[in-house]
Amino acid sequence: LGVIKMISDEWPDCISAHDSNQNSSLHCACREGRYDVVNYLLEMKTGLVSEKNGDGKLPIELLPEAMWRRDSLECAEAIWRLLVAHPESVCL
């Protein structure tokens, strides 16, 4: 998280960047089960929760991948609760 904060402090627009499949930084953090990064990104730019990637998926829809990748149901549940706290994230 420290590196992400340092980079976003220097280049604030990087939070809105997308990869070749239109995954936002929030898509990636959800997919990897990074609760700390998800929390930080939502504090910085909550509009990311409603952005779909190139496969038409919202960040919240990538949470099942986090459960398998990190083998951490608790982490995925924490991210789920965080995203649901933002109403725009539940419009699946």
Side-chain angles (χ1 to χ4, degrees):
L1 178 59
V3 172
I4 291 170
K5 285 183 177 181
M6 184 178 65
I7 292 171
S8 66
D9 285 347
E10 196 67 32
W11 297 285
D13 291 341
C14 74
I15 291 176
S16 301
H18 294 79
D19 67 12
S20 61
N21 191 41
Q22 294 304 306
N23 287 303
S24 68
S25 51
L26 186 58
H27 282 96
C28 297
C30 285
R31 185 182 61 228
E32 297 300 323
R34 292 295 308 270
Y35 176 73
D36 55 341
V37 176
V38 169
N39 189 34
Y40 176 73
L41 292 172
L42 290 176
E43 288 174 6
M44 300 300 294
K45 186 169 171 68
T46 59
L48 292 173
V49 296
S50 57
E51 290 184 11
K52 293 185 177 185
N53 66 10
D55 296 324
K57 292 185 178 182
L58 295 167
I60 200 168
E61 295 177 274
L62 300 180
L63 287 174
E65 292 182 35
M67 289 187 290
W68 302 115
R69 287 176 184 262
R70 298 199 43 136
D71 197 28
S72 173
L73 184 57
E74 294 86 14
C75 185
E77 287 175 2
I79 294 172
W80 175 264
R81 286 192 306 270
L82 182 60
L83 290 176
V84 170
H86 295 272
E88 64 271 26
S89 71
V90 295
C91 298
L92 301 175

